[in-house]
Structures are given as C-alpha cells and as structure tokens.
Amino acid sequence: MKVNNIFSNIPVVQQEELFEVLIRNDAIRIERIISASQTYQPSDDWYDQEKDEWVIVLKGRAALSFENQPTIHLDEGDYINIPAHVRHKVSWVDPNNKTIWLAIHY
Amino acid sequence: MKVNNIFSNIPVVQQEELFEVLIRNDAIRIERIISASQTYQPSDDWYDQEKDEWVIVLKGRAALSFENQPTIHLDEGDYINIPAHVRHKVSWVDPNNKTIWLAIHY
C-alpha cells in the first residue's frame, strides 16, 4: 500500500499546465495539475470536455474564465464542479507560487 | 457556477467520522470526511468497501490500519489508493485538530 504526497516531487513545469494522471479507469480520471507561476501565459483556447470535472485548488490561487459567465477566483481549498462542455480556461494563476490542483473527471 | 471551500463550514462532529457527499453518480462518489479530534475513538470494525477508494488527507494527520498489513501514517497532502475489499480502518487521528479528508470512491 503506497503513500504519495500531492505536494512532493514537483517537477520543473516547462509548459503552462502540467497534467499527471494519478488514477484512471473507464469511468474516471484523477489528475494532479501544476500551473506555472511567473511564466504563466493564459491560453486563447477553451477547454471543452466530454466529462464533468470536479476541481479543487490545493496550493496557490487561480482564476477560471468561462464562456459567457463571470470569471471565478479560487483560493486554497476552493472547489468547483464544471459540467461537461462548459467551455473554460485558466485565465490567471498566483505569480509567486506554483498552483497545484486536483481534478476528477467523471 | 458555485464555489465552495473544503476547509469552510466545518460542522460540530458528533460521531467519530462525519461523511458529506459532494458529488455522486453511478460511477463515483466524492466525499469530504471530517474526523473528530479529542474525542476520537478508533472503531473495532473494518471498512470493507465495494469500490476502490482514493483518499487524501488535506488537513490534520491520521493513521490507517489494514488487515494483515502495516499501519500507514498520513500527513497533510498524503494520498493512498485502497482497492475494493481491502479491509481498513482509521486507527488514529491528530488529537489537536480535526482531520479533513477527501475521498473518491470509484
């Protein structure tokens, strides 16, 4: 029975978001997502996902933009459920720290 | 699009463990679990679950005991995947703080 820590083994983040799959089966995917800090450049593209996504910010801060909806600011511990096909993107992250998310696609 | 915080609205915990379902469908159940601190009394009974469980300690500390396996200590950020029917129980929690877990049954 192996224990890992969600805040450990933080790699160098070369791109804006680094996705690491922790658990995957036919029904779900649990991911750790790390957003770059200083170098973060919001994408012009939207995420448009086939599955619902439940996501929580575990370290750092971020803003999520939605198509035709207000931007939402997330602090540590904040979570939100994003239904499938609700177009969204990460429009800002804490410039001083890497932001660590846990996402469950289901 | 509603934001909640996993560390907010912590109720009085009358029993040893308080389970709150955040998301549920046919495939998964996402729960916040709050373990009592001072009053915690480990159960004699094992959890024997139909589904796999991925669980992370978000605040506090705990120990998980397994049948015929070593006890595992969990600090903040530690996560573990418990396969279905692996019998386990919470054998200890931080006596000074409520321990907050996030569990995904899948």
Side-chain angles (χ1 to χ4, degrees):
Chain A
M1 208 72 71
K2 187 164 166 7
V3 177
N4 288 290
N5 191 286
I6 202 85
F7 305 121
S8 299
N9 301 315
I10 304 292
V12 175
V13 180
Q14 304 275 6
Q15 62 274 55
E16 304 316 311
E17 318 264 14
L18 178 71
F19 299 85
E20 296 167 278
V21 175
L22 307 180
I23 296 283
R24 185 206 300 268
N25 69 10
D26 289 348
I28 68 152
R29 189 172 80 250
I30 303 177
E31 279 176 349
R32 179 171 78 166
I33 306 169
I34 300 172
S35 303
S37 45
Q38 286 90 342
T39 61
Y40 194 80
Q41 294 290 334
S43 171
D44 290 335
D45 301 326
W46 298 100
Y47 291 122
D48 184 339
Q49 301 173 157
E50 297 295 320
K51 291 188 168 178
D52 294 350
E53 177 181 4
W54 186 93
V55 66
I56 182 169
V57 170
L58 295 181
K59 279 270 191 270
R61 291 178 300 153
L64 281 178
S65 292
F66 296 89
E67 200 175 37
N68 306 319
Q69 294 186 63
T71 293
I72 288 179
H73 293 266
L74 299 169
D75 287 320
E76 284 183 7
D78 282 347
Y79 63 86
I80 187 171
N81 192 58
I82 306 170
H85 298 299
V86 169
R87 286 152 63 93
H88 63 283
K89 60 182 155 189
V90 179
S91 50
W92 177 85
V93 295
D94 186 342
N96 300 313
N97 296 290
K98 284 177 177 147
T99 294
I100 301 176
W101 314 68
L102 181 72
I104 297 124
H105 302 266
Y106 65 97
Chain B
M1 205 73 68
K2 187 164 166 5
V3 177
N4 288 291
N5 191 285
I6 202 85
F7 305 120
S8 298
N9 301 314
I10 303 293
V12 175
V13 180
Q14 305 274 6
Q15 62 275 59
E16 304 316 311
E17 317 264 14
L18 178 70
F19 299 84
E20 296 168 279
V21 175
L22 306 179
I23 296 284
R24 186 205 299 267
N25 70 8
D26 290 347
I28 68 153
R29 188 171 81 251
I30 302 177
E31 280 176 348
R32 178 171 78 165
I33 305 169
I34 301 172
S35 303
S37 45
Q38 285 91 345
T39 62
Y40 194 80
Q41 293 291 332
S43 172
D44 289 334
D45 301 326
W46 297 101
Y47 291 122
D48 183 339
Q49 300 174 157
E50 296 295 318
K51 291 188 169 179
D52 294 350
E53 177 181 2
W54 186 93
V55 66
I56 182 169
V57 169
L58 295 181
K59 280 266 191 272
R61 291 178 300 154
L64 281 178
S65 292
F66 297 90
E67 200 175 36
N68 306 320
Q69 292 186 61
T71 293
I72 287 179
H73 293 266
L74 300 170
D75 286 321
E76 283 182 9
D78 282 346
Y79 63 86
I80 188 171
N81 192 58
I82 306 171
H85 299 300
V86 168
R87 285 152 64 95
H88 62 282
K89 60 182 154 189
V90 179
S91 50
W92 177 85
V93 295
D94 185 343
N96 301 312
N97 296 289
K98 284 177 178 146
T99 294
I100 301 177
W101 315 67
L102 181 73
I104 297 124
H105 302 266
Y106 67 97

